[in-house]
Every structure is written in C-alpha cells, then in structure tokens.
Amino acid sequence: MTGPSLYVHIPFCETKCPYCDFNSFAVLGRDVDGYLDALRREMDARGVPGDPPTIFIGGGTPTVVTPEQLARYLGDITARLRPDPAREFTVEANPGSLTREKVAVLKEHGVNRVSLGAQSLVDRHLATLGRVHRAAEVEEAYRMVREAGIPRVNLDFIYGVPGMTLAEWAATLETAISWRPDHLSCYALIFEPGTEFHARRSAGRLNPIAEDRELAMFRYTERRLRRAGILRYEISNFARRGEECRHNLVYWRNGEYAGFGAGAFSYLQGRRTGNERHLGRYAEAVRGRGDAIATEERLEGEAAARETIVLGLRTSEGVDVEAVERRYGVDLGGLRGTIGRMRGLGLVAPDGPLRLARRGWRVADEVAAAFL
Amino acid sequence: MRLEHIRNFCIIAHVDHGKSTLADRLLLRTGAVEQRVFRDQLLDSMDIERERGITIKASAVRMMWQGKQINLIDTPGHVDFSYEVSRALHACEGALLLVDASQGVEAQTVANAYLAIEAGLDVIPAINKVELPGAQPELVIDQLSTGLGLDTTGILRVSGKTGLGVDDVLKAVIDRVRPPEGDPAAPTRALIYDAAYDDYRGVVVYVRVFDGTLRRGMKVQFLSNLSEWEIAEVGVFRPEMEKVDVLSAGEVGYFVANLKTLEHVKVGDTIAPAKERDVVPVPGFKDPKPLVFCGIYPASSQDFDDLRKAIEKLHLNDASFTFHPESSEALGFGFRCGFLGLLHMEIVQQRLERHANVDIIQTAPNVTYEVVTTDGETRRIERPAELPDPAHIKEFREPIVRVSIIAPPEAIGPVMALVTDRRGTFVKQDYLGPSRTILVCDLPLSEMVFDFHDLMKSATRGYGTMDYEMKGFFPADLVRLRILVAADEVDALSVICHREVAPRRGREILRALQKTIPRQLFEIALQAAIGGKIIARESITALRKNVTAKCYGGDVTRKRKLLEKQKEGKKRMRQVGGVEIPQEAFLSVLGSRREEKKRK
C-alpha cells in the first residue's frame, strides 16, 4: 500500500438515530446539492490522492440522496482518480434507502464493497434504536446488492440494545450467517455523550442491559462467527479470510488517509486534522479558503508510537513493537515492564507481535490504556 | 497607653452559642470596622472557618471605647481546640462566658469556664440569643449558679443578632475585668501566644506584652533558643494588621522580624531584649497532647518536599498538631501527624490541601498506644507497624479518656447503653438543675474518637454535649489487625483494636475496601488477620468488560484522550502488590466516617 487512503463524508440520513454521535443530519430540507458543491470545491482545493489504496464513503447515509446526486458525487470522486478495479471501494448504505437504481449507480462507478447498516434483525430492537427500516428490508437490500454483482457486502449490527436477550442476539446472528456474508461488524451499543440515548439513560428512562449479559453477547459473537468461518480481526469486526476491510485496517495501523466533507478527518504526514462539522460553516470555509480544517493535532515520537500501539492492539494481527520503534525512531524499551505484566495476566499473547490474547479482548481498553 | 485604660478579654462559649456573631457586633459598635466593610464573622479569617461557621484560630482585635483600649481575643469553641482556648486565656485578664439562652449550659461551657477560672480570669457570664422564642434565661441562670457556682448577679442579657445589650457588654468588660498588671519601664517580657506565616512579611508573631515595650528597630531574643532578631514592624489587629509605633505592657498585637524560617518561633515562648540574661520567662502553657494520629502522604511522591514545607508552615500557625517523617511500604515517604481530635485532623488536612496545592493521602486515624515489652521497656506506639512481635509484649495499654456528657435526664439511659457498647465504664452522675444531668464515664479513646460524638448526639436527640480529658493508659486485650490485599499486608490499612471487636472491625474494613477499590484485571482477595490467622475475608471480582466497540479515523484522537483520562485516574492510585488502591480506600477504613456537618 502506498499513499494515503481516501475518505468522503456524506452527512445526511433519513432521520437522526438516537444513539448516533456521527456527524449526520436529517436530509429533509437540506441543500444536498449545495453540500456536494462544497465537497467538490474542497477536493479541488486540497487535491485528492490520485491513487489511494482504498476508498470509503461514509456518513450519514451516503445512499440517502437521489440517484442523480449519488451519481454526481461518485463521479466527482472517480474523475479525480487513476482507475483501478482492484482498489477496495466501500460505500455505506442503509437498507431502507437502497433501490435497484441506486445500486446500479454504485456498480457503475466501480463500488465493490457495500456496508449495510442492518443494526438488528428484530423489529422491536430496530424500533428501540430508532431505525426507520424493518428487519425484512435488510434481507431485501442484501439480496439486491448481491444480485447487482457487487462482490463484497458487510452487515453492521448493534447488540446490547436495551431489552435485548442473548437468545435474540443469537437468532440475529444465525439469520445473518445463513446469508453467507463475507464481513460482519458487531458493535456493543455505546451511550455516547451528546446523544439522545445518553440523555435518556442519565435521566433513568433507558436501562442499559446488565454488564454480564453484554459480555455474554460479546463472547458468543466471536465463538459463533468463528464456527461459521468468519474470524475476528478487530474488536468489533469479523471477516472471512482475505475479506477484511482494508480501509479500516489503515486506521488501526495508524496509516495515512485524506478525508473530505463536513466533520471528516485526515491523517497526513503526522498531522491529524478535522473538518468543520457544521454544514454551513463547512461550506463557508471551503468557499473562503479551500479547506475547512477546524481541529488539528500533531503527535510525534513516542506519543505517536504509543498511539500506534493502542490502535494496533485493536486488531488480531496486533502490532510489531520493533517495527513501531523503527517507524518513529524511538526506543520503547520502557514498555517492556507493561508487556511483561500483561503477559503475566494472560491478556496479551505470550510471544510474537504485541496482540491481545483470548482473555484480553473484553478488557481491551484497560490493556490499551496501560500503553499510553 | 496607661495600664488602667487597657482591658484584655476573650469570649468563651460552647460551639454555636453565637460567639463570633457577638464579636462582630462589638467590632461594629466600637467602630473597629465600618458597616461597609463588614462581613459576617469578621474575625474568622480562614475560608474553612467561614464555610463551617466555626472558629478555629484565635485572633485578636483592638477596639477603642470610652477612652479605653479593649483587646478582644476570639477563641474557638470546639472541643478539639481547647488548646487554642488556653492560649488565648493566657493573653487576657477576663473572659465573657457566653451561653445560648435556649440551649443552656453545655459541656464546653463547663470545660471552658473551668479553664478560665483556673487561669485566674475575671469571668463575666452572659446569656446570648435572648431574642429567640425558646429562650429560658432563668433556667440558664440556675445552671450557671448551681451547676458552675458562678456569681450571676447582674448577669448580661444580649443578642449578637439584634445588637441588644452590646453596650452592657462593653461596660461590663471595662468595669468587671481588671486592667493588666505590668511595668512599662521594666525590661521587656512578652508572650508568644500565636504566629502566622505571611508570604510577604515572613513570620508574623502574635504577642501579649507583659512588661516593657516592643518597638521597631529593637533587638529581641527568644528565650527558649536565645536567637536574636531585630523588630521590623509592630502593630495591632483592627482586625486587619495595622502598624503602630509601640506595643507596651498590657497590650496585645504582633511583630514582624526578619523571620523567614519557622524553626525559632515557638508558641508559648517569651520574648526579651537581646543580651538580657535575667528575664524570668512568662509562664507558658502546656505542650498540646495529640490524641489522634494519622499518616499524611503526598499523592505523588515528587510532592514530598512541597508537603513538608506546607506542613511546617501550617504548624507555625497551629502548634497543636505534631508531625514527624515516616515511611510506609504502601505510601512511600510522608508524615505521621498528631491531632487534638478528629475535627482538628480534618481541618488541618483541608488547610494543607487548600494552601499547599498538594494532593494528599491520609491514612485512617488511630490513637497512641503503650506497650511494655518483656524487657520492661515502655514504648509509645503511634502506628501499627511500630508494634513489637507479640511474643515480646508483656502488656498492651490503651488510652482512656474521662468523658463528661451533659444531657437531659431521660437521655441518660440510651447514652449509658452506648457507653457500655463502646467498652466504657460509668464513673458518676450529677444533676445540673432539673433538665440537665452530667454523666461522667471512662471510655477507651479509640472508641470515642471516630463516631462516638455522632452516636451520643442521636442518643440524646441532639441535646447532649460532651467534653473529655485524657485519663491515662490502661492495660487492654489489644491486637494488631492486619489487612491484606492480594495476600500482601498493606501497612497503611492495618489497625490496632480490641480482640473482641477485631472480627467485626475486620469485616467493616474489608467491606469498605470492597466499595472503594475499583475492579481490576484480576480478582483481588481481601483479608483481615491477627498474626497468621485470617479472621475475615472478602474479594473484589475481576473487571468483566472494558472495551470500546468503535474506533475509526475520526475517533482516534477522542478515543485516545478517553484512554488517557482512564490512565490518569490510575496514576493517582497507589500500587500495592500489583493492585491499584485509590486514596479513598485509605480513609474508608474509618467505616462510618462522621460527617462534619453533624458536628457543628
């Protein structure tokens, strides 16, 4: 892999889900075309990497827009790239928002991977999560993508939803497995600050499920998917061998990426920048100065090395500490004690690269914090 | 000023009987402060005092009234601060004994009144808060005359709140307190009754001049160490510090010399002219006897020096606590400090944190014990780690205090039950009028020190008050209760207690630890043991789950910061045998930690 990956953010959704803390807005009444203008302007001004190893269009719901708008921004992106059919090109989609026509547009523009926000296959849980689609629509969308000949499909699920039982979660997994997907993302529900769920929990109007039940789901997921040949390669991500999301691996390997759009992040030459999240301010900034950078962080030397370890620990491949030392030109000998302690507790693998052992996954944050 | 025009007096009272409010009234009335700069409880210069509404540090104010110079020395009312009271008493000739008209005589009214009588002061009884609907002045008069044997003719009736009777107080001070004696022409003799540290002026020494004068430029010596200093400034409190030309016999004020270090200034010491060898020291007061001890450690070890400086500075201002360096396996280097009581301990701790800007870890308080070894040596034991091997202990003694509790007669039953439960013994019971009974009993200090006051308060529905004095050390069946965390003894958590209560105390401590030590990556065994015998055990289950489900490009910075915060929290914990123990755990050993509110 050479050069930075490419990320483009489409910040629109049909409705805002109550657990979601991503930069997204209900699409109704929004000036989508105006946003796409600004996006194009930002790509022009900053320059898009011409041969990114991976592309990821995220949101929001990138497919919530009209087929014309979809074709327009996909065209804007692909026009700036050297064509390469082997390049991983992912677009996020929601089951309810997908039509045959839109799938055809994706296919036409070389999209070879669709990540479907299924979230659950139980209508009751979909309702709790504030999702607008029904379980039946998930399968429909999945088939539609498959039939269109888009070769790779991921399904996103959320477990640990208030009121969810282990049996319900297991049933959801069974159904998903029966569709023979090549990739599954299974996230424990997070009550992110600033979300409606967070406020409802604080007010005592939403009860999180018991920690033990969530832990049982966490463990069950890995065991069941492994039997189906879908292996964990990151805390919440599972794939058949070779079907891992290469774009997300760039993040966890602390690789470079250029992000475009409102609230998008870039990590280029050791500098991590974040764009304006607000649509109006984003467009205005792009019009004024070409970029819309609102936050910036630069980590160097040991801090960058430690961050790389923390990110790498999320993956099953782990992180080669010596390679990290070479990459940042630092001596991480000071971590030896921590590594020894974590090995002693059986939380990281006894040898080889630094990676979580079977018992380490459920307390991954504790392990990671020790390396910061 | 000529001696016959000077009056030095203090106000003594049970806590909350309105002493500070009356003091404020006097300052206003005499014009010592103007209405516009007036704040409630002006004399209480420390924030903590104002927050708690109690007076901790004695401070002095000069007022002028009808051609007389009246020096008021404010005193603390709480039982923990009787040492400060006695310091103030030595600088005065008279005391206004203030009693709340509805509460009546309480334990510290009695204790303070006796202190004042013993110090030879002219005592003027006064009934305060007479404006309250529940006021029963006749009952108070009866308690004062029959209970305390005071002459109540011409008793003052005042209200600090409304200002009623304030002029009578000033008149009584002038008429009934004798003027100071002393010879302004004799060689200088002055008593250091307090000191404070000022960032700009260095040490500010509070003095009462008995003979001669103190003035700027004068060379003086401290008799206890013969060090010599040139006086840079003398002044009085009005109530802010105000420079004057001279402080002469009978007067109260302060002086500043070039005192940058704290080592030479000793409260109770006498000041005399330099080179003068024939000065008879002013009788000082007894060294304070700390009754409660705890370890104070910096939360992070690099702050040790800052903590030491802060403690030294505070000690200058509060000579009643003691300190010396100690080290603990669990906590590193710190200090063992002795206090007059629990409230005193808390206040010192808060002052340290506030003024030193050092996070501190305080270990559970304990009392001093005495051990007679098999070689016949008697040793003071200030912490469990100092105990010799049990085989070398011939006799183990604990401190016993004589406690006087004043309560309504119908509450004596419940109080007696409490006393018995706390291994106490009955001494005597007296009547102090129809609604007040004094119960005297002996109680192990260790049983009194933690929550006895609270329990006594609730047993008497809030009407009971208490005071205590040290009686001595007496043999008891004591053991060292060892606390083990993950099989390692944590010295800072171990305690000395009576063998009978050890299992209960052990369980309490372990449960408290269970609540304060966060779950970690492995299960933690908690054990309480006497010698090698485990008498209680609990465990903290391993952390089950701590994993962030999502982390992508846009989240990296934020998620890393969350992890950093998590890690930062751990830095403030102490690592003992691989277990991270938060600061609260060291205090939680107290179990039912008394809330300061209740004590006021």
Side-chain angles (χ1 to χ4, degrees), chain B residues 44-57:
Chain B
D44 304 347
S45 60
M46 285 186 293
D47 328 340
I48 298 170
E49 292 183 21
R50 212 176 293 278
E51 279 167 23
R52 294 179 180 237
I54 53 174
T55 310
I56 307 160
K57 281 295 299 175

Side-chain angles (χ1 to χ4, degrees), chain B residues 251-536:
Chain B
E251 292 186 319
V252 179
Y254 70 89
F255 77 83
V256 175
N258 190 27
L259 285 153
K260 295 294 175 213
T261 61
L262 319 171
E263 56 189 312
H264 293 103
V265 185
K266 192 169 168 263
V267 170
D269 199 359
T270 300
I271 292 153
K275 312 278 184 271
E276 187 72 51
R277 287 290 169 261
D278 300 328
V279 180
V280 182
V282 180
F285 16 90
K286 287 173 275 178
D287 270 338
K289 279 176 302 192
L291 295 172
V292 181
F293 292 84
C294 77
I296 290 184
Y297 291 80
S300 60
S301 51
Q302 69 260 31
D303 289 341
F304 177 79
D305 266 342
D306 289 340
L307 177 64
R308 183 176 49 77
K309 281 184 204 136
I311 287 184
E312 283 174 357
K313 204 179 266 190
L314 192 58
H315 184 256
L316 177 79
N317 199 251
D318 180 358
S320 58
F321 82 90
T322 62
F323 69 99
H324 57 260
E326 71 166 1
S327 68
S328 145
E329 279 168 42
L331 301 173
F333 290 99
F335 296 93
R336 172 110 312 224
C337 300
F339 307 93
L340 304 173
L342 268 201
L343 180 64
H344 185 215
M345 177 179 87
E346 269 174 36
I347 285 177
V348 168
Q349 182 216 336
Q350 285 185 11
R351 282 212 241 163
L352 275 178
E353 289 206 317
R354 203 166 290 200
H355 298 301
N357 208 8
V358 174
D359 276 338
I360 60 176
I361 295 179
Q362 185 194 316
T363 65
N366 63 275
V367 303
T368 321
Y369 293 90
E370 247 180 38
V371 154
V372 182
T373 63
T374 43
D375 331 337
E377 187 198 348
T378 303
R379 284 195 215 163
R380 280 268 173 140
I381 305 293
E382 287 181 10
R383 55 189 187 128
E386 291 169 356
L387 273 180
D389 187 286
H392 296 130
I393 298 178
K394 198 167 106 197
E395 194 168 271
F396 206 157
R397 297 170 178 161
E398 68 176 333
I400 302 290
V401 284
R402 177 147 292 180
V403 184
S404 310
I405 297 160
I406 299 187
E410 65 273 17
I412 292 300
V415 172
M416 213 35 240
L418 172 64
V419 166
T420 313
D421 183 50
R422 290 306 171 100
R423 301 191 287 125
T425 51
F426 173 85
V427 177
K428 64 171 180 170
Q429 185 174 346
D430 280 327
Y431 290 93
L432 194 74
S435 63
R436 282 281 193 283
T437 302
I438 298 189
L439 174 70
V440 180
C441 54
D442 289 343
L443 206 61
L445 179 61
S446 61
E447 298 284 348
M448 190 206 72
V449 111
F450 301 118
D451 55 1
F452 185 81
H453 186 266
D454 282 356
L455 297 170
M456 183 280 295
K457 274 285 185 195
S458 69
T460 59
R461 298 212 183 117
Y463 289 111
T465 56
M466 61 181 269
D467 194 47
Y468 61 86
E469 58 181 353
M470 183 71 181
K471 190 172 170 234
F473 287 86
F474 296 88
D477 188 7
L478 300 165
V479 292
R480 171 176 178 179
L481 181 61
R482 304 164 63 224
I483 302 297
L484 292 82
V485 174
D488 281 335
E489 176 171 1
V490 181
D491 54 1
L493 293 176
S494 298
V495 296
I496 293 170
C497 69
H498 196 268
R499 189 182 300 277
E500 276 171 30
V501 305
R504 192 191 72 205
R505 188 103 176 85
R507 275 193 304 276
E508 280 168 8
I509 292 174
L510 298 189
R511 286 205 196 108
L513 291 178
Q514 224 178 4
K515 283 195 199 120
T516 47
I517 298 178
R519 294 191 302 168
Q520 294 174 29
L521 289 167
F522 41 86
E523 178 168 315
I524 302 163
L526 303 173
Q527 295 164 309
I530 298 174
K533 190 174 161 235
I534 306 292
I535 57 164

